[in-house]
Amino acid sequence: MEETIKSTVQPNKQQLLNRLKRIEGQVRGVHQMVENDRYCVDILHQVSAIQSAMNKVSLALLEDHTHHCVSKAIKENKGEEAINELMDVMKTMTK
């Protein structure tokens, strides 16, 4: 079975990229903390901050997808497929 590649213009692309750059910097910081044998609890606090930031990115993407892609699909009578796809993503995100 051949997989179809879907794409879209991200309405908040620059905001997402800025958040991801900050997260990338945080991950590099954790890497250095591990290399420098920093206290485990301090590292864990930073990991928690990274996870929280990634959750915010996921929710922002989910919101954009719902407002734009799913909404458009519903208007084009393709809503059932879009909703099923959205629910599959939600199931993956909440594991």
Side-chain angles (χ1 to χ4, degrees), residues 28-40 43:
R28 280 194 304 272
V30 167
H31 185 268
Q32 288 177 342
M33 291 174 81
V34 172
E35 277 188 341
N36 296 331
D37 297 320
R38 292 283 301 272
Y39 185 53
C40 297
I43 297 169

Side-chain angles (χ1 to χ4, degrees), residues 56-93:
K56 288 180 184 177
V57 168
S58 294
L59 288 174
L61 282 167
L62 185 62
E63 185 175 3
D64 287 347
H65 178 68
T66 304
H67 285 291
H68 297 96
C69 301
V70 175
S71 176
K72 179 182 175 190
I74 290 170
K75 290 173 187 170
E76 295 174 352
N77 292 321
K78 298 177 186 172
E80 197 64 35
E81 179 184 340
I83 291 169
N84 288 337
E85 181 182 54
L86 177 63
M87 293 311 299
D88 287 343
V89 170
M90 290 296 298
K91 289 173 190 172
T92 301
M93 288 175 64

